[in-house]
Amino acid sequence: GGIITQTPKFLIGQEGQKLTLKCQQNFNHDTMYWYRQDSGKGLRLIYYSITENDLQKGDLSEGYDASREKKSSFSLTVTSAQKNEMAVFLCASSMDRGDEQYFGPGTRLTVL
Amino acid sequence: QQKVQQSPESLIVPEGAMTSLNCTFSDSASQYFAWYRQHSGKAPKALMSIFSNGEKEEGRFTIHLNKASLHFSLHIRDSQPSDSALYLCAVSHTGGADRLTFGKGTQLIIQP
């Protein structure tokens, strides 16, 4: 088995601040994903990456950057935090694009 | 853009009864259909997936897919308190789990 670790667990930032969320997986999976989960809404895909140094935009990529410098890690940057994007950010990985996704425990973002 | 809707939003079922959860989707070219379960404060976890019309059973869980009516469902036989969770349906127009579009979820409570 493997595990997905997300850091930090809780992230508090000021409006307009640049914030970075990190995700590590030891499954040796090729594909990694970032989702946002708002209260009362489903998961929305922000970015995904099918291999090291690859980036693909999801439906909600505006206002975010991502980076996949190593196979095992995928980071997400909120370029200018806004109060309406307080949510839980979930990282996931899968062996390749077509396989079941395994999720991390999430980072809860609060913007003051 | 794919629209995925779940019903009901919340559901209370007595222990031992059958639970039925519904999901409709808008893109008739969709090829992959899945259910994820998320216990409170935990990561979503894949439950079952299906590619073609019909049904698939795994233990107490059955998934039904009717592509013509743009509908699939999850049925839980002999529902247990440990089944209480948020259930998310997900759809992809590709042959696998990449570019998943999730519904908003059904909050299920199994009452002992």
Side-chain angles (χ1 to χ4, degrees), chain A residues 30-91:
Chain A
D30 290 317
T31 308
M32 295 185 75
Y33 309 80
W34 275 108
Y35 290 92
R36 180 172 135 182
Q37 185 174 30
D38 293 80
S39 178
K41 295 188 180 177
L43 278 63
R44 289 183 285 174
L45 182 64
I46 306 172
Y47 268 99
Y48 71 104
S49 165
I50 62 173
T51 189
E52 200 173 309
N53 293 318
D54 173 75
L55 288 176
Q56 312 274 346
K57 289 184 179 182
D59 298 323
L60 204 66
S61 60
E62 193 169 327
Y64 302 95
D65 286 327
S67 173
R68 182 98 182 269
E69 291 171 356
K70 290 193 299 185
K71 185 176 181 179
S72 62
S73 66
F74 193 28
S75 61
L76 180 74
T77 298
V78 181
T79 55
S80 175
Q82 302 299 314
K83 288 192 177 177
N84 64 3
E85 65 191 332
M86 293 200 291
V88 175
F89 290 80
L90 292 164
C91 175

